[in-house]
Amino acid sequence: MQIERSPVIILVRPQMGENIGAAARAMLNFGLTEMRLVDPRDGWPNPKAVAMASGAAGRVLDHARVYPTLAEAMEGIEYAYATTARGRELTKPVLTPEAAMTEARAREGRSAIIFGPERTGLENDDIARASAIVTVPVNPDFPSLNLAQAVLLMGYEYGRDILPPEPAPHLRRGIAETPADRIEIERLGDHYDDQLTQAGFFFPETKAASMRLNLRNMWSRLALTQGDVRILHGILRQLTRR
């Protein structure tokens, strides 16, 4: 599924083919299909990127376009977001991923999200070509994100209010998955009460009533299935036989 007018993902001077392939996978997870590469270090095409993209995401790479400079890669883009923790000395709006992608969804023209090279991130010359800065609120002691992680995060924020929610999987419930009813749990409690009484568990006599109450209360708190109840009965039978 491709989202209409979805943002272009621009990877500036990406270093590792594996990260480009992983970014393609992250893009397709959220319906983003247009990738542009600026001066990839190891050239293009890159077999390591194809191997990492794995399957359907390979078509993102098949249509990826390569540019010598970021300025040329901005062809047809009306508004661009630079993902960086740097560049604060430049006068630009600084947004969270959620705020930036909410804004991008509302725009009529084409937007782009710009990601820098793995080792250094975007330089100020790159950031100067963007309309706004996107900074992820992360642990200040470890602010670095993997390239594919950053693409995934931005893709999620863009697509989460557009893509249809996935329905919960339909389970064919057998005995193993069907919740036990109160009577089944009551009988299980009786079985354990009887056997534990015979084993002398409820001792001393002055505490027996509160011990029984706590045990019964424990059974009622557990979210047991019919399968669970059968197993617990079986365990107790086997122990008492011995």
Side-chain angles (χ1 to χ4, degrees):
M1 175 183 181
Q2 180 177 358
I3 304 174
E4 187 178 357
R5 295 198 323 275
S6 59
V8 175
I9 300 299
I10 302 178
L11 307 185
V12 177
R13 299 180 297 280
Q15 295 170 307
M16 298 178 63
E18 294 90 339
N19 287 336
I20 299 172
R25 294 181 65 168
M27 288 171 60
L28 198 57
N29 284 150
F30 299 101
L32 309 181
T33 58
E34 187 171 344
M35 174 185 283
R36 300 182 185 181
L37 304 173
V38 176
D39 189 24
R41 184 189 67 182
D42 297 335
W44 194 256
N46 187 313
K48 292 182 178 180
V50 175
M52 180 59 77
S54 181
R59 71 173 184 261
V60 174
L61 302 180
D62 291 341
H63 295 94
R65 297 164 65 187
V66 181
Y67 297 82
T69 67
L70 176 58
E72 292 168 279
M74 301 280 274
E75 172 190 1
I77 301 300
E78 296 183 14
Y79 203 90
Y81 301 89
T83 59
T84 181
R86 302 168 58 185
R88 296 300 184 89
E89 62 269 28
L90 300 174
T91 304
K92 291 183 185 295
V94 179
L95 308 172
T96 64
E98 180 182 11
M101 295 301 95
T102 298
E103 182 180 276
R105 287 195 300 270
R107 292 188 178 279
E108 292 294 328
R110 203 77 195 274
S111 297
I113 311 170
I114 307 170
F115 300 86
E118 296 92 320
R119 188 174 63 84
T120 60
L122 293 170
E123 300 293 339
N124 280 346
D125 283 349
D126 304 316
I127 298 167
R129 289 177 164 78
S131 315
I133 290 171
V134 180
T135 298
V136 181
V138 294
N139 177 5
D141 294 330
F142 191 66
S144 176
L145 286 176
N146 173 276
L147 176 59
Q149 290 174 329
V151 173
L152 184 75
L153 177 61
M154 298 299 291
Y156 169 76
E157 290 293 352
Y158 186 82
R160 67 175 180 166
D161 289 340
I162 297 175
L163 291 170
E166 288 294 324
H170 178 69
L171 298 177
R172 281 186 60 192
R173 280 189 162 176
I175 288 174
E177 297 85 17
T178 302
D181 63 28
R182 292 295 96 189
I183 295 299
E184 290 168 320
I185 293 173
E186 188 73 18
R187 289 172 181 162
L188 179 66
D190 290 342
H191 190 183
Y192 273 78
D193 190 288
D194 291 342
Q195 295 301 325
L196 291 172
T197 298
Q198 293 179 41
F201 176 77
F202 299 111
F203 181 86
E205 184 63 32
T206 54
K207 295 185 178 180
S210 64
M211 293 171 71
R212 284 190 167 91
L213 180 63
N214 289 336
L215 188 61
R216 187 71 64 169
N217 187 51
M218 182 193 76
W219 292 122
S220 67
R221 289 201 313 271
L222 298 177
L224 298 174
T225 66
Q226 291 180 358
D228 295 333
V229 169
R230 291 190 175 192
I231 289 171
L232 290 168
H233 277 300
I235 290 170
L236 190 56
R237 289 190 191 99
Q238 190 65 21
L239 288 173
T240 53
R241 281 196 192 104
R242 297 190 175 187

